[in-house]
Amino acid sequence: MTSPEIDLEALLPRLGARLEEAELRPVHGRVRRIRGLLVHASVDGTGIGELCYLRDPVSGRHVAAEVIGFEEEHAILSPIGDLQGMSTRAEVIATGGPQGVPVGEALLGRVISPLGTFIDAAPERDLDALRLCPVHAEPPSPLARQLIQHPLALGIRAIDGLLTVARGQRVGIFGEPGVGKSSLLSAIVRGSEAEVIVLGLVGERGREVRELLDVQLDAKARQRTVCVVATSDRPAIERARAAMVATTVAEHFRDQGRDVLLLVDSITRFARAQREIGLAAGEPPTRRGYPPSLFAALPRLLERAGPGASGSITALYTVLTEGDSSLDPVAEETRAILDGHIVLSADLAKRDHFPAIDVLASRSRLMDAVISNEQRRNAGRIRDLLARHRDVELLLQVGEYREGNDPLTDEAVARHAAIEAFLRQSEREHSNFEDTLKRMDELLS
């Protein structure tokens, strides 16, 4: 499923404006040059981040675009759509403000594009109750945020028991291609206790979008989920905008006092889209070809999640890693900003171990603030047993391990099969928080 061409006549009435009013306004400028991904236009009075519309009188096409910079007397616009059919006769209509996205209860269970248009076949309902929120928003004041005090169960034993996520925490899910990041996200959507779930699919394959929504998610999960989709064929600014729009929708429900779970898949494709925009605008490439603007955009995006004055956004961001993640600037920057990291192991995935979470390489920085002393002791004990077993794993494989030298290592070897069974669960299996804690007690008894 791919996003359709922008239907301005359908979009503007939904956002509380009328196309006729836009047509009666004087033309603000004209396109002077189209070079690669960018449009250069002579237009007065615009500012960075302002939403404009390109209207071609020959082809009759309308394309939204955002002002991203200036060069001498020309404004540089990044189109949110395909430029096919546009000419230098195209007119530029400035809206006078940044892009807004419609938010409200009518979004629950729906699939929208980064422009806020519905791209699913569900019937329209309660559209009059939608209101516009700006895509670019400031994070809550640090002193206005609530303190984080409660856990959020996700239905995954390895996470709830050993990497407990707090309400309002921001966590990265790091892994190579094919280790089950998307499958883990769909399992979390089904098993999470969050009131509202916002799913941002950034640069996703079109085939996988419908499989995720119609096959992997059940009807109950769909009813409380808002999905923002920009497939891999969409322009770079549209792909980058998907993560921002998903965050804006999550902020709306958080400000109503709800506990929101925000899932963005993936932050790496967001970074690559930002790289396309920055390089096309003339920014110098720095670390691995990423422009400086990316390293300013990442914290602005990630800091918008978390607890607010009322309600919270618990955010999970997938991060694609290849080889040594310490050499990947996106993975490095993201890990430094977030409140924890869950690392998926390719070796575990090869053994059909789901979820393929490497517990020893993962860490939740806020876990100790929201769990009981008993769970803290049990989780520490299981981690110690896993670490001791890893130390002697090679000896076990070659048959050189001898029992009796270290009682704790002997215990780790004896309990390893039970620990593995605890950490494994099928994609459709859901474990509530109390059952997970009970199984941890039984595991160590």
Side-chain angles (χ1 to χ4, degrees):
M1 176 172 55
T2 59
S3 301
E5 294 294 336
I6 298 169
D7 185 355
L8 193 61
E9 295 186 3
L11 175 64
L12 287 181
R14 184 175 294 135
L15 304 186
R18 297 181 60 84
L19 180 60
E20 291 79 4
E21 295 175 0
E23 291 175 340
L24 291 175
R25 296 177 60 188
V27 174
H28 287 239
R30 291 192 179 278
V31 170
R32 298 303 181 190
R33 183 167 65 252
I34 299 177
R35 177 179 296 172
L37 303 176
L38 300 181
V39 176
H40 294 244
S42 57
V43 53
D44 294 329
T46 58
I48 298 292
E50 183 172 348
L51 181 68
C52 300
Y53 286 99
L54 310 178
R55 180 174 58 185
D56 192 280
V58 178
S59 64
R61 294 199 61 226
H62 299 83
V63 176
E66 182 178 286
V67 179
I68 63 170
F70 299 97
E71 182 177 311
E72 297 179 352
E73 300 299 322
H74 291 166
I76 303 174
L77 296 91
S78 181
I80 313 176
D82 188 9
L83 287 176
Q84 189 70 29
M86 282 289 165
S87 68
T88 54
R89 295 183 59 189
E91 305 158 345
V92 180
I93 302 176
T95 62
Q99 180 195 348
V101 62
V103 295
E105 296 295 319
L107 292 185
L108 294 175
R110 302 300 303 270
V111 184
I112 64 174
S113 75
L115 279 170
T117 58
F118 294 111
I119 59 176
D120 55 7
E124 309 286 355
R125 68 179 193 274
D126 303 327
L127 297 183
D128 292 339
L130 296 177
R131 65 182 183 86
L132 281 181
C133 283
V135 171
H136 301 282
E138 294 295 325
S141 168
L143 299 182
R145 294 183 185 265
Q146 303 175 83
L147 294 176
I148 290 179
Q149 299 175 324
H150 305 287
L152 178 67
L154 300 181
I156 307 296
R157 286 191 296 270
I159 298 177
D160 291 343
L162 304 178
L163 303 165
T164 309
V165 173
R167 295 178 187 268
Q169 186 173 354
R170 302 163 305 159
V171 180
I173 300 177
F174 295 76
E176 299 176 16
V179 295
K181 294 185 295 297
S182 298
S183 298
L184 178 57
L185 288 185
S186 62
I188 289 173
V189 171
R190 291 191 301 269
S192 169
E193 292 181 346
E195 299 175 63
V196 176
I197 298 170
V198 181
L199 181 58
L201 301 180
V202 182
E204 187 60 90
R205 304 175 187 90
R207 171 187 58 81
E208 293 186 348
V209 174
R210 187 170 181 184
E211 288 180 2
L212 171 64
L213 296 175
D214 294 347
V215 178
Q216 298 190 40
L217 299 187
D218 53 34
K220 183 179 180 181
R222 281 292 301 273
Q223 290 175 359
R224 58 184 176 134
T225 301
V226 181
C227 187
V228 183
V229 175
T231 50
S232 59
D233 62 304
R234 303 306 299 168
I237 193 168
E238 190 170 338
R239 283 179 273 131
R241 190 55 46 85
M244 300 179 188
V245 170
T247 304
T248 299
V249 174
E251 288 171 330
H252 165 75
F253 290 107
R254 176 188 63 189
D255 294 342
Q256 292 181 338
R258 303 190 193 185
D259 289 317
V260 183
L261 179 62
L262 171 63
L263 309 173
V264 177
D265 184 20
S266 73
I267 209 68
T268 303
R269 291 193 288 263
F270 166 82
R272 290 172 179 172
Q274 287 289 129
R275 177 170 60 185
E276 286 185 42
I277 297 169
L279 294 180
E283 287 189 66
T286 54
R287 298 165 60 189
R288 281 210 172 182
Y290 288 103
S293 61
L294 169 65
F295 302 103
L298 272 177
R300 283 202 305 268
L301 174 68
L302 302 181
E303 281 294 332
R304 291 170 62 180
S310 62
S312 65
I313 298 177
T314 306
L316 301 179
Y317 303 94
T318 64
V319 183
L320 182 65
T321 59
E322 297 178 11
D324 187 359
S325 62
S326 64
L327 300 178
D328 185 342
V330 175
E332 182 183 357
E333 288 290 322
T334 305
R335 189 182 294 234
I337 297 170
L338 298 179
D339 308 314
H341 52 276
I342 297 172
V343 178
L344 302 185
S345 166
D347 292 335
L348 291 176
K350 292 174 184 176
R351 293 175 7 215
D352 198 26
H353 184 296
F354 181 85
I357 297 174
D358 186 342
V359 173
L360 296 180
S362 307
R363 181 66 63 184
S364 171
R365 298 180 186 175
L366 299 179
M367 176 176 174
D368 288 345
V370 297
I371 62 174
S372 64
N373 290 330
E374 182 181 9
Q375 182 185 351
R376 187 178 296 109
R377 286 193 301 270
N378 289 342
R381 181 96 177 277
I382 292 174
R383 278 180 168 274
D384 186 26
L385 294 176
L386 285 171
R388 288 177 179 271
H389 183 274
R390 182 170 292 184
D391 289 341
V392 298
E393 190 169 13
L394 180 59
L395 296 177
L396 290 168
Q397 291 174 352
V398 298
E400 292 297 324
Y401 177 74
R402 297 291 181 267
E403 295 184 17
N405 294 328
D406 184 356
L408 289 179
T409 303
D410 292 342
E411 180 185 1
V413 174
R415 294 186 186 272
H416 186 69
I419 294 175
E420 285 260 304
F422 170 78
L423 296 178
R424 281 180 185 243
Q425 65 185 87
S426 67
E427 293 185 26
R428 292 286 175 177
E429 180 184 357
H430 169 254
S431 179
N432 64 47
F433 200 73
E434 291 73 19
D435 288 344
T436 297
L437 299 184
K438 182 179 178 181
R439 287 194 59 171
M440 291 174 65
D441 284 334
E442 295 172 350
L443 183 65
L444 299 174
S445 62

